[in-house]
Amino acid sequence: MSQFNLTIFGGTGDLSYRKLMPAMYNLYIKKELPEDFMITAIGRREYTSEDYHKIVEPWITEFAQVKVKDQALEQFFTHIHYFRMDFTDLSLYQLLDDYYEKNPTSNHVVYYAVSPEFFNVITDGFSSLKNIHEPKIVLEKPFGATLSSAKVLSEKLERLFGKDHVYRIDHYLGKEMVRNILTIREANLLFANVWNKENIDSVEISALEEVGVETRGNYYDHAGALKDMVQNHLLQIMSIVAVDDPHGDINTQQLEVLRHLRPLDQVDIKDTLLKGQYEGYRQEMHIDPASKTETFAALKLFIDTDRWQGVPFYIRTGKKMERREIVVKITFKSLRDDVDPDVLVIKIQPTEGVYLEFNIKTPGEDSITKAQMDFCQNCNLIFKLNTPEAYERMLHACMDGDGSWFSKWELIERSWQYIDTLKQMYIDADLPIYTYPQGSLGPKEADQLYTKK
Ligand code: BG6
């Protein structure tokens, strides 16, 4: 009996090639997998396991964090089995059951690395198997085409496999510096006592990407930046920054933050959201030539709690931007009119680190000048090597049954509702989608959101 089996539905998909296989290889090299583990990659294509190994090899070589060595890779491949199957055909699940009978495991993680339209049929097929024991089911956004279908699926998964056995991944929660936000706040007197409206002027969360929509037009043109980045990753970050008690249960705390987002019937949509689209987007592959999908979104949100009342949280994300960068910037209040505010920047990627800007005396003069301290965590090779990739960390957590950094359904539902309503308000108000040049910082009109208090 193996000690761990990762079954991947969608073994021949982009997610498996780019993220899951390289992450498993990293874990293998770091000796974080049990000796007796298996990966079962399920796909529809006519491959043998050997064919599959040849296909994943260049992906692992390109994307694994650790340097790939031929011998180690060969050893790693002895653990990977390709299982050919059309997973939409329920009559074929018996064969999968037979396979598990011959290859039993004590710890089963099942990854739905396919688009959400297949989640239901896989759930039906997989839950009918006899030779699986308490599997943990891992799935990623989008969890369904609509909120109601996602809710039905979620209830079904929880009913069939158990609430604690459903792992909804947001890979941003696996990023080292996202996890560091709470530590930086609560382990430093410097920040712990000033994390509130009395001392913080604004919070900016910015996620800029250089890449465009690439080959994912079919999906992206329906999702847009709001659903692709804001509803999940950026509201996750925002709610982590804003939790009331950094020591409390993270999911419960985050949900409380989202529950206190200013009710949308109390906001003016034009001061809350601005959408943009990069020039040339409509000519990209699989994109509607008249598409109104946003590739950029800027938001100004408020959290109506004692801690945050009146503090704007600015969120900005876009594709085809000037640079790739994710940061959280906390601007403190100015002590006096003649000094600049202190600024703390938590750098999430590609640089991982912390930047602090504060005031000192100008050397040799009486005036005040800015000092800048810039700590780069991933410039240190040891730190860099010790930092697991997001997927590596999340897969390891699933293997260990640690669900603490996975999203509970209520959190997803809340952010989904909020973003759906915002989107609808934008349409109802007939607000424009501003175009912006590729390689810029988005539409210049977005700056207006930032200037109005
Ligand atoms: C994904 C989005 O969830 O996150 C992509 O679907 C986006 O559109 C990606 O590019 C960004 O992730 P990362 O880890 O590269 O910041």
Side-chain angles (χ1 to χ4, degrees), residues 19 141 171-172 175 209 211 216 219-220 228-229 233 319 324 326 349:
K19 303 284 190 188
K141 66 102 213 238
H171 77 279
Y172 269 50
K175 290 186 191 282
E209 294 190 276
V211 290
R216 299 162 70 223
Y219 148 76
Y220 193 88
D228 186 53
M229 289 292 289
H233 307 322
K319 291 205 184 280
R324 174 173 179 247
I326 305 184
Q349 85 185 21

Side-chain angles (χ1 to χ4, degrees), residues 69-88:
K69 298 204 185 95
D70 289 352
Q71 219 186 349
L73 197 57
E74 259 172 50
Q75 277 301 316
F76 178 63
F77 284 154
T78 61
H79 298 267
I80 304 183
H81 306 271
Y82 182 76
F83 189 89
R84 192 186 158 257
M85 170 182 177
D86 175 357
F87 48 70
T88 60

Side-chain angles (χ1 to χ4, degrees), residues 358-371:
F358 56 102
N359 297 300
I360 57 165
K361 191 178 89 56
T362 316
E365 292 178 26
D366 287 335
S367 61
I368 288 173
T369 193
K370 268 188 221 161

Side-chain angles (χ1 to χ4, degrees), residues 403-428:
S404 56
W405 283 78
F406 292 83
S407 300
K408 298 274 182 292
W409 169 252
E410 293 73 16
L411 197 79
I412 292 165
E413 184 174 33
R414 176 73 189 134
S415 41
W416 195 318
Q417 273 163 351
Y418 201 81
I419 293 299
D420 271 359
T421 314
L422 266 181
K423 282 183 84 161
Q424 197 52 49
M425 287 168 72
Y426 203 85
I427 294 168
D428 294 346

